[in-house]
Amino acid sequence: MTAIDAGQPVLAAPERRRPIGLLLVAVPVLLVIWLIIWPIISAVIQTVWVKTPEGGNSFSVETYRFFFSDGYSLSNLSITLWTTGVCAILLLVVCLPIALYLRFSDSKVAAYVQGLAIFPMFVPSIILSFAFIRVLGPNGTVDLVFNAVGLPKIRSPYLTPWGPVIGLVWDNIPLTVLILLSGLGNVSNQAIEAARDVGAGKLALLWHIILPRISNSVLVAISFAVLGIFSAFTLPYVLGPAAPEMMGPFMQRTFRELFEPQTAITQAVITFGFCIVFGLFYVRSVARNQAP
Amino acid sequence: MKRRDFMLAAGTFAGALMLPRMSFGAEGVIDVYFSSDQNVIDFWTNVVKPKFEAANAGVTLNLVDGGDGAGVAAIGDRALAAMASGADPQADLFEGFDTRVTVDGIAKGLYVDFETAGLSNYGKINPLAFDIPTNLPYRGSQVLLAYDTTKLDPANAPKTWPDLVAWIKANPGQFIYNRPNKGGSGGNFVRRAILEANGKDPSKFAVDNYTAEAGEAMLNPAWDILMDLAPSLFDGGAYTSGNTQSIQLLGQSAVTMIPAWSDQALSAIAQGVLPETTGLVQLSDLGLPGGFTKLAVLTNGVNKDAALKLADFLLTEEIQSAVLTELGGFPGVSWEHVSPELREKFADIIPTTIPTFPGGDWEKAINDGWYRAVAPNVDPAS
């Protein structure tokens, strides 16, 4: 992940360019073209170049017109955007303090905090889903604890749009913390001490010294989280409401249970269209950092 | 061992594993292919196989997981091809199989006609379960209502659809069913509502009579029934995403009643996932839909006679009682052919009718229509 090391000075290009470098990257590039780029192109072609009843093919944007005029599909798209946006904000709110703590703390506790923060990476999401129902679901552990100390019953987030939000945030903490942490590695102690010497407060330090230096990492972390969340399947499927559905379960249902591959591919292309925007953010920030 | 030697040895070993294993249908080894889940294969391994082999010296069962319906269907196609060339199909019995799946299979006589096969227990089969003579029903499963007897006295448990609707409305938040495409318990609850909206007549629905107009006319009233229930469901209209999640909510005492598969509910009670105090009840005006699992025996299998003996053995009281107690399914035989204690114990769930519902276009229409009409929880009047 070169993005994580972004910000380091780019090595000066060697004077004689050899083809070995190009050969080394040829295999992954070809794989990406074969397994990712080509399927995307073919999906786009399949949705706009459709079979006519007479047996020929013709250009048509009917499936897209249907998607964007169908209230049900649009509400699925908007819940996906909402979930992604809320998750991205919550992830920053949760992960930035953890990353700051891990970067600037010297105590032994920090190692345990780091272990805890990375832990969700090792929990498969289907197990997380059922554990979520046990803990945060109705009459789950949280309800039992609240009841034991005389607090009122909470309305469980299970089967509401907040169910997937909580699950997805928990699931994405490790990656976000790791990316932010690597970004914080670029903030030198000297810069912070210098700022402190001239009397900067903690907030000023964060706002004027730390955030500008890690803005790139923040962007990368958010792009990664958003790309994963936008097409999430298991957590929205098990924890979310029946309708509106997020795009992941919606595409799967359209394909497997309604037997409408054309519609499912259209949904996929639209999903991809939104993801590519975040992908471009990521690519742009990497490119900007590598520019001399 | 040097690294090089080790690599060579490992490579040879892996290669040997990957070689196609040669096998021939052997005399005395009945090859059984399964489309059912692991719990059914476990039942055969632990109950059917030892009992049958003990009773029939010299005969053993080879239980093969066919993966799914398509997997066993492929073996059926191979058996048909083997029949044409007079070869050995290397298979004798299919579990969880509909002989109609093999194109031309029945017409060419690939499958044993059980009406003329002379099974001594054939007459015991539940009349509700009969389908076509080449399919032998041996166990059943039906969706029923599972409820918490500590909150609902079994004497007051709803026994008809109007009772159930009245109970759900009188106890808001205490009932939940899963999305109809994510598991048969909610799926068949929805189908029961569809039957309710169509005069409780399952014969109105056939695999080939779906049209867009019929779908609209027959399904929309059912969506109205379900929409009407929605505000009284758990959380004002929430739907779990599978059979297991519904059982989990009943187990956590978050709801009082759910629709559940009979076998899943019985095994959940046996395993302690659901408490001992769980009650089961079936609607008596028209049961929630379900179905029977069928067997097929190949006419060209090497062990056809032994396989028929096995099919007959499956219908004995011993195995049929075990289907109830060990597998948690329904017996394929009529209830008077299981032991009286068991009949007493399961009295509430003995079905008088097992309505079935076709798949195909109807299923697709239900999966789409329910999501659009019922799931969004939007009051059409507002």
Side-chain angles (χ1 to χ4, degrees):
Chain A
M1 261 184 263
T2 53
I4 294 173
D5 313 313
Q8 288 182 357
V10 181
L11 291 174
E15 283 176 18
R16 271 176 52 209
R17 291 171 182 275
R18 291 190 182 153
I20 292 188
L22 281 179
L23 277 176
L24 282 175
V25 296
V27 174
V29 166
L30 285 176
L31 271 179
V32 165
I33 291 174
W34 177 39
L35 295 176
I36 297 175
I37 310 278
W38 167 243
I40 292 170
I41 295 171
S42 99
V44 172
I45 293 173
Q46 272 185 52
T47 51
V48 295
W49 189 247
V50 293
K51 276 203 173 73
T52 53
E54 295 84 50
N57 285 303
S58 75
F59 178 80
S60 158
V61 289
E62 181 53 35
T63 53
Y64 292 92
R65 209 185 57 75
F66 172 76
F67 185 96
F68 286 107
S69 61
D70 177 34
Y72 184 73
S73 303
L74 285 178
S75 73
N76 288 346
L77 181 63
S78 67
I79 192 74
T80 311
L81 287 169
W82 178 87
T83 307
T84 311
V86 171
C87 284
I89 295 167
L90 284 179
L91 269 173
L92 262 195
V93 171
V94 171
C95 295
L96 194 58
I98 298 178
L100 285 172
Y101 169 76
L102 291 177
R103 165 69 179 80
F104 293 110
S105 168
D106 305 321
S107 71
K108 278 185 184 163
V109 186
Y112 293 103
V113 172
Q114 178 153 12
L116 267 182
I118 304 305
F119 176 69
M121 204 175 244
F122 303 99
V123 182
S125 46
I126 188 74
I127 291 178
L128 166 63
S129 307
F130 280 88
F132 179 103
I133 305 177
R134 271 259 176 260
V135 175
L136 283 172
N139 292 357
T141 314
V142 170
D143 268 353
L144 294 183
V145 171
F146 275 32
N147 189 39
V149 295
L151 288 168
K153 203 170 151 77
I154 51 159
R155 187 182 189 280
S156 167
Y158 175 49
L159 298 178
T160 73
W162 287 101
V165 167
I166 297 174
L168 287 167
V169 166
W170 195 80
D171 216 26
N172 278 288
I173 285 177
L175 187 64
T176 314
V177 166
L178 285 179
I179 296 175
L180 289 178
L181 203 52
S182 85
L184 282 169
N186 293 332
V187 182
S188 65
N189 283 344
Q190 288 94 322
I192 289 174
E193 277 156 25
R196 271 196 192 134
D197 287 346
V198 296
K202 279 190 174 163
L203 270 180
L205 208 60
L206 180 68
W207 192 251
H208 293 292
I209 305 293
I210 298 175
L211 279 184
R213 273 153 214 256
I214 63 164
S215 62
N216 203 43
S217 300
V218 170
L219 204 60
V220 170
I222 292 297
S223 312
F224 271 39
V226 159
L227 290 178
I229 291 167
F230 205 90
S231 53
F233 176 76
T234 311
L235 290 162
Y237 160 46
V238 179
L239 300 177
E245 311 159 88
M246 276 180 71
M247 293 305 285
F250 185 40
M251 283 186 267
Q252 194 264 0
R253 191 169 66 83
T254 310
F255 185 75
R256 287 281 314 257
E257 274 139 20
L258 304 183
F259 311 108
E260 292 174 6
Q262 190 85 359
T263 319
I265 296 172
T266 306
Q267 293 161 1
V269 170
I270 291 166
T271 307
F272 170 74
F274 279 91
C275 287
I276 205 170
V277 174
F278 294 101
L280 286 178
F281 268 124
Y282 166 69
V283 171
R284 207 183 63 129
S285 76
V286 172
R288 199 175 51 191
N289 274 279
Q290 291 195 342
Chain B
M1 199 188 279
K2 283 186 187 144
R3 203 179 66 147
R4 195 181 135 83
D5 293 343
F6 174 75
M7 294 299 282
L8 275 175
T12 319
F13 182 65
L17 279 180
M18 280 186 281
L19 279 175
R21 269 178 289 174
M22 301 295 284
S23 71
F24 295 98
E27 187 78 37
V29 180
I30 307 176
D31 291 310
V32 184
Y33 284 82
F34 290 85
S35 72
S36 298
D37 287 332
Q38 190 61 41
N39 64 325
V40 174
I41 302 173
D42 288 346
F43 170 73
W44 278 64
T45 310
N46 298 328
V47 179
V48 176
K49 185 175 155 82
K51 283 184 198 281
F52 184 73
E53 286 172 0
N56 297 273
V59 180
T60 54
L61 300 187
N62 177 30
L63 309 178
V64 187
D65 185 354
D68 53 12
V72 177
I75 309 285
D77 290 339
R78 269 178 28 192
L80 188 64
M83 192 179 199
S85 61
D88 170 14
Q90 300 171 24
D92 298 295
L93 191 144
F94 295 156
E95 195 272 355
F97 187 71
D98 184 344
T99 49
R100 276 174 282 226
V101 170
T102 311
V103 179
D104 280 347
I106 300 172
K108 290 190 176 163
L110 178 64
Y111 297 107
V112 169
D113 180 337
F114 290 102
E115 265 176 11
T116 56
L119 301 186
S120 62
N121 294 316
Y122 191 69
K124 293 181 185 171
I125 293 174
N126 190 333
L128 295 171
F130 279 115
D131 180 18
I132 52 172
T134 48
N135 287 350
L136 182 74
Y138 87 105
R139 63 182 176 89
S141 191
Q142 187 175 11
V143 173
L144 36 66
L145 299 169
Y147 63 98
D148 184 344
T149 54
T150 60
K151 293 198 245 168
L152 173 64
D153 185 348
N156 302 327
K159 296 254 167 36
T160 62
W161 181 266
D163 282 358
L164 176 62
V165 170
W167 182 86
I168 292 172
K169 289 190 170 172
N171 299 274
Q174 294 301 313
F175 187 86
I176 193 164
Y177 66 92
N178 67 268
R179 302 162 204 175
N181 60 327
K182 301 296 186 199
S185 64
N188 283 320
F189 177 80
V190 168
R191 283 161 177 72
R192 178 64 183 80
I194 294 167
L195 294 173
E196 185 71 20
N198 289 282
K200 297 187 191 118
D201 183 5
S203 67
K204 282 187 181 170
F205 298 88
V207 74
D208 52 3
N209 73 347
Y210 176 81
T211 58
E213 298 77 54
E216 204 150 292
M218 293 162 92
L219 296 182
N220 285 355
W223 304 150
D224 292 340
I225 293 179
L226 293 170
M227 284 290 287
D228 183 42
L229 281 181
S232 312
L233 296 178
F234 177 75
D235 226 357
Y239 307 94
T240 53
S241 49
N243 302 326
T244 321
Q245 290 92 315
S246 294
I247 286 179
Q248 196 174 357
L249 285 188
L250 181 64
Q252 282 176 212
S253 200
V255 293
T256 304
M257 192 187 291
I258 56 166
W261 279 112
S262 61
D263 56 341
Q264 217 170 8
L266 291 172
S267 62
I269 295 170
Q271 291 163 358
V273 176
L274 287 177
E276 282 285 320
T277 51
T278 305
L280 301 172
V281 66
Q282 183 58 270
L283 298 181
S284 57
D285 49 348
L286 177 70
L288 292 154
F292 284 88
T293 302
K294 282 124 188 174
L295 297 172
V297 173
L298 292 167
T299 49
N300 59 342
V302 176
N303 303 293
K304 181 189 152 197
D305 293 336
L308 282 173
K309 206 184 248 183
L310 171 62
D312 205 20
F313 180 73
L314 287 167
L315 297 173
T316 56
E317 187 184 316
E318 188 182 13
I319 298 295
Q320 290 294 316
S321 298
V323 165
L324 259 173
T325 54
E326 305 288 326
L327 184 62
F330 279 167
V333 297
S334 299
W335 286 82
E336 60 265 29
H337 300 295
V338 295
S339 69
E341 311 83 270
L342 289 177
R343 222 178 323 169
E344 175 113 355
K345 187 173 171 196
F346 296 104
D348 268 353
I349 56 171
I350 294 179
T352 48
T353 57
I354 300 192
T356 54
F357 203 91
D361 288 338
W362 281 110
E363 184 170 349
K364 182 182 169 230
I366 291 169
N367 286 344
D368 197 31
W370 184 87
Y371 271 86
R372 287 177 178 274
V374 183
N377 264 335
V378 185
D379 184 1
S382 72

